[in-house]
Amino acid sequence: MSIAANSEPPHLLSDQKKSVIDRTDALACLGSELVYVQEGTGRYLNFYWQQSERLGLESEHIDNNQNQESFAPIDKAGYFERLEQVLTTLIPQKCQCWFSLPQGTVEFELLITPILPTLGSAATSVLVMGRLLQVAASKNQIQVTPKSKKIGDDLRSQQYQKLINNITTNIRRTLDLKIIWQQTVDSLSATLKPEFCIICPYYGESKISVIAESCQPNVKPMLGTEIDIASEVGFTQALNTLKPVIVEPTENSLFNTEKLLIVATSHQEQPNSLIALSLSAECSHLSAKELELTKEAANQIGTAIAHATLYKELESARQQAEDASRLKSEFLANVSHEIRTPLNGMIGFLKLILDGMADDDEEKALFLGEAHKSSLHLLEVINDILDFAKIEAGKMELELRPVKLDELFTDVENFMRLQAEHKSLSFGMQLPDTNDEILVYSDYLRLKQVMINLVGNAIKFTHEGHITVTADVVRKKVMFKEQEFPGMVKVRVVDTGIGVSLDQQDKLFQLFSQVDGSRTRQYGGTGLGLTISQKLVEAMGGEVHFYSLGEGLGSTVTFTVPLYQQPVMVSSADSEEG
């Protein structure tokens, strides 16, 4: 019920009351307990409250600005500042506010909505709807929030939500993990103004490493620092609860700050990173709403990390598949070339003989000799392919037994020396000085195959200089096939050949991989030699390693095999007496 407060002649008073009652009924129809229309200056245009009479408030004293103090906000500055914001932004706001009444005070929950003016005009009034929360007997019983503080907190929460939304939106626009890591810490630093902000990937291990950071100039960088999760307060809790945690670091902590915010990002309830940042004075007390927004942002960031990780894995798998396909194609091309070359030689020389192109028996014998040499080369290529296939299928059978190293060296030297001398290369093989035989535990034929392969490569890729093969006894007990051996024998094949660049050496032992396809075509071979040698040596309990300082600087290949029994070494004194 609303009554006009202006003094009117008697014949106009009843009409004015009727108009006020009509407007009051219209407000009551909105269904809210409290409804009023108010100008930005504070003047009430219409007012309706269900409980007004019960609490001693006469609505007619409020309507038409007769007595605004009978229903006035206690925190006037904060209230009118909020009205100004609603009228300026044209965005409704929800708040809680205490009002003074003639007989006490009341607290309302209010929804303040701007009344939109015609296009081009500024809004001047608002529609306010509310509901009663509590009644106090006097103002002394109320602790009013300091001027504008509550509004400031609400505004900060709104700004915080907007910034968090911007962070997650920007991060989810990329699938580059490096960008996501750095963008996360940069964006959080811009939002919360910490002294430092770090992020660490989490893979389920007890220690994590800082992968990206954003810090003030006076703060010691932590990039690459390893963090023990158990020793830092709050980290385990953040991982277990997947909720933001605010802690005070201990004296032994890596973090020199009064308060630390720790957030675990996650995807499908599985943590995938940890974020830690110092809290500035203005953000040291995050509200429940802000903590909830932080958790939501962490979930969004965790999803972005999971998607980027999956994309990286798929991209890597695709690249590996493409590389494997390309390498297999190159391998098959080289193998087919290696098979066709000796086969064409055999066919050619035999064709010459069949067509009677040999002038005499001596030339006929020469053609047959070349055809035989080509057949041996073809057999070697086919054996390499078959050996590789057996190794890959796990069907390579080895006859492991004691092997005399001196006999092996003698056989290899007799087989390879002529090839080295044919290229005018110095060739030497040397065993360690011992008083008895050196026995290794191996398959004689396969070990000989490995040595011939390695020495053959050294001769093939060396144009001048020397090839040296040496052996050393390494006294270190090893276990192989549940049997203990007293040590290992390390064999070195050293050449002064073309060498291999440092960035290409990892490819030497990759399946279907060759350092340079053109080099293989130039020098011949399937490119399987080192791979087969490595697999055979590993099957016999040893290892193969390749060393080269670069192109044109020669190469060294070493391999080891178990020592069957400890030989008696010749001392330096014995050597001098001899």
Side-chain angles (χ1 to χ4, degrees):
M1 52 186 175
S2 178
I3 303 173
N6 295 335
S7 297
E8 296 289 346
H11 64 279
L12 294 176
L13 187 59
S14 60
D15 293 340
Q16 182 69 23
K17 286 184 178 181
K18 184 176 184 300
S19 175
V20 171
I21 292 172
D22 290 342
R23 294 199 304 270
T24 301
D25 291 341
L27 294 180
C29 289
L30 294 177
S32 180
E33 180 182 347
L34 171 70
V35 187
Y36 60 84
V37 179
Q38 188 176 31
E39 291 183 338
T41 59
R43 187 169 74 95
Y44 293 98
L45 300 180
N46 297 97
F47 186 88
Y48 168 78
W49 182 27
Q50 291 177 355
Q51 308 293 333
S52 58
E53 292 182 357
R54 186 171 67 85
L55 293 174
L57 177 66
E58 296 182 8
S59 299
E60 59 266 23
H61 291 168
I62 301 172
D63 204 11
N64 288 334
N65 202 29
Q66 183 181 19
N67 186 6
Q68 294 187 45
E69 294 303 318
S70 60
F71 188 83
I74 294 177
D75 182 14
K76 290 184 179 181
Y79 179 81
F80 287 113
E81 184 176 343
R82 190 181 296 276
L83 286 188
E84 181 65 26
Q85 290 172 6
V86 172
L87 292 172
T88 302
T89 63
L90 299 182
I91 298 175
Q93 289 194 24
K94 187 178 180 181
C95 64
Q96 295 178 8
C97 184
W98 283 92
F99 287 85
S100 62
L101 300 176
Q103 298 180 7
T105 56
V106 292
E107 184 185 20
F108 284 99
E109 182 179 17
L110 303 178
L111 177 63
I112 307 173
T113 306
I115 297 177
L116 297 179
T118 57
L119 193 62
S121 301
T124 59
S125 58
V126 295
L127 172 66
V128 182
M129 293 183 287
R131 58 184 174 185
L132 182 65
L133 296 179
Q134 57 180 314
V135 179
S138 67
K139 296 182 181 179
N140 295 332
Q141 293 179 278
I142 306 170
Q143 293 183 352
V144 181
T145 303
K147 177 183 177 181
S148 302
K149 184 177 186 303
K150 193 171 184 181
I151 296 177
D153 290 344
D154 289 343
L155 284 175
R156 192 183 80 167
S157 293
Q158 292 176 13
Q159 293 170 352
Y160 188 78
Q161 181 172 9
K162 184 177 180 181
L163 289 168
I164 290 294
N165 290 340
N166 289 338
I167 291 173
T168 55
T169 300
N170 291 333
I171 287 174
R172 298 193 69 172
R173 286 176 179 171
T174 179
L175 288 171
D176 189 322
L177 264 177
K178 291 183 179 179
I179 294 178
I180 290 176
W181 298 131
Q182 194 60 49
Q183 204 170 65
T184 297
V185 294
D186 289 345
S187 300
L188 288 174
S189 294
T191 302
L192 298 177
K193 304 293 189 296
E195 289 188 348
F196 64 85
C197 179
I198 64 169
I199 187 169
C200 310
Y202 178 69
Y203 304 111
E205 300 175 354
S206 61
K207 294 184 179 180
I208 54 178
S209 296
V210 179
I211 198 169
E213 68 174 346
S214 176
C215 60
Q216 301 295 334
N218 61 328
V219 177
K220 182 181 178 180
M222 297 186 67
L223 191 65
T225 302
E226 190 175 75
I227 301 172
D228 187 349
I229 294 175
S231 65
E232 292 294 341
V233 178
F235 277 66
T236 302
Q237 181 182 349
L239 287 171
N240 291 338
T241 63
L242 297 181
K243 293 181 179 179
V245 179
I246 298 177
V247 298
E248 295 181 2
T250 61
E251 293 182 359
N252 299 326
S253 173
L254 294 172
F255 305 99
N256 184 21
T257 183
E258 291 186 3
K259 289 191 176 181
L260 189 70
L261 173 64
I262 307 165
V263 187
T265 67
S266 63
H267 177 63
Q268 296 181 349
E269 300 301 319
Q270 296 298 318
N272 51 20
S273 80
L274 277 166
I275 301 171
L277 55 92
S278 62
L279 288 178
S280 61
E282 61 186 58
C283 292
S284 60
H285 301 287
L286 294 179
S287 66
K289 182 178 180 181
E290 288 171 334
L291 287 174
E292 184 63 29
L293 288 171
T294 303
K295 181 179 183 300
E296 183 179 335
N299 292 338
Q300 296 289 330
I301 294 170
T303 300
I305 292 171
H307 289 174
T309 302
L310 178 60
Y311 175 79
K312 184 178 179 181
E313 292 173 352
L314 292 175
E315 184 66 19
S316 176
R318 182 188 65 81
Q319 187 64 45
Q320 290 177 7
E322 290 181 356
D323 290 345
S325 177
R326 176 179 56 81
L327 292 171
K328 285 181 180 180
S329 297
E330 291 182 3
F331 167 76
L332 291 175
N334 288 324
V335 167
S336 62
H337 169 77
E338 286 299 312
I339 292 175
R340 284 197 304 269
T341 299
L343 189 58
N344 287 335
M346 293 167 56
I347 294 173
F349 285 115
L350 293 175
K351 179 69 171 171
L352 289 175
I353 295 173
L354 291 174
D355 291 345
M357 301 298 293
D359 294 334
D360 49 35
D361 290 341
E362 183 178 351
E363 190 171 22
K364 184 177 180 180
L366 178 63
F367 289 166
L368 288 172
E370 291 297 328
H372 180 258
K373 187 187 297 184
S374 296
S375 67
L376 293 177
H377 180 59
L378 178 60
L379 179 62
E380 180 184 347
V381 172
I382 293 174
N383 283 336
D384 275 355
I385 297 172
L386 292 176
D387 285 344
F388 176 76
K390 286 181 180 179
I391 292 172
E392 285 299 289
K395 295 182 178 180
M396 176 64 72
E397 296 181 359
L398 299 175
E399 295 181 7
L400 299 176
R401 56 184 176 81
V403 173
K404 295 180 180 180
L405 196 61
D406 58 344
E407 289 184 6
L408 178 67
F409 268 48
T410 300
D411 284 352
V412 173
E413 182 175 12
N414 293 336
F415 190 80
M416 303 303 297
R417 178 172 292 280
L418 288 177
Q419 294 185 33
E421 291 177 351
H422 183 70
K423 296 185 66 174
S424 301
L425 299 175
S426 174
F427 182 75
M429 301 186 70
Q430 183 178 356
L431 288 169
D433 291 332
T434 59
N435 289 327
D436 56 355
E437 294 180 328
I438 299 177
L439 297 177
V440 296
Y441 188 67
S442 182
D443 183 309
Y444 182 86
L445 293 178
R446 294 303 181 183
L447 192 57
K448 180 180 176 181
Q449 178 184 347
V450 169
M451 289 195 65
I452 289 176
N453 194 305
L454 298 181
V455 174
N457 277 347
I459 294 173
K460 182 193 300 184
F461 295 109
T462 302
H463 302 298
E464 59 181 1
H466 65 270
I467 286 89
T468 304
V469 182
T470 61
D472 295 306
V473 175
V474 181
R475 297 181 180 180
K476 182 179 179 181
K477 291 183 179 180
V478 294
M479 293 294 297
F480 175 60
K481 292 189 177 298
E482 301 180 354
Q483 183 177 348
E484 185 178 85
F485 294 91
M488 303 289 284
V489 171
K490 178 182 283 188
V491 179
R492 289 183 179 86
V493 180
V494 182
D495 66 64
T496 56
I498 60 176
V500 177
S501 63
L502 297 176
D503 60 333
Q504 296 290 329
Q505 292 179 23
D506 289 340
K507 296 182 179 180
L508 287 170
F509 296 103
Q510 293 179 6
L511 297 181
F512 304 113
S513 179
Q514 298 162 346
V515 172
D516 186 348
S518 61
R519 175 181 292 181
T520 301
R521 288 188 290 272
Q522 177 183 353
Y523 291 96
T526 59
L528 291 174
L530 275 178
T531 302
I532 292 173
S533 297
Q534 181 191 43
K535 297 293 185 181
L536 288 174
V537 169
E538 289 176 352
M540 293 184 287
E543 295 178 350
V544 178
H545 296 282
F546 180 91
Y547 308 93
S548 178
L549 295 177
E551 293 188 4
L553 299 176
S555 303
T556 299
V557 181
T558 68
F559 70 89
T560 57
V561 286
L563 182 65
Y564 186 72
Q565 66 181 24
Q566 182 71 49
V568 178
M569 307 300 293
V570 176
S571 65
S572 57
D574 294 337
S575 300
E576 291 174 1
E577 290 177 3

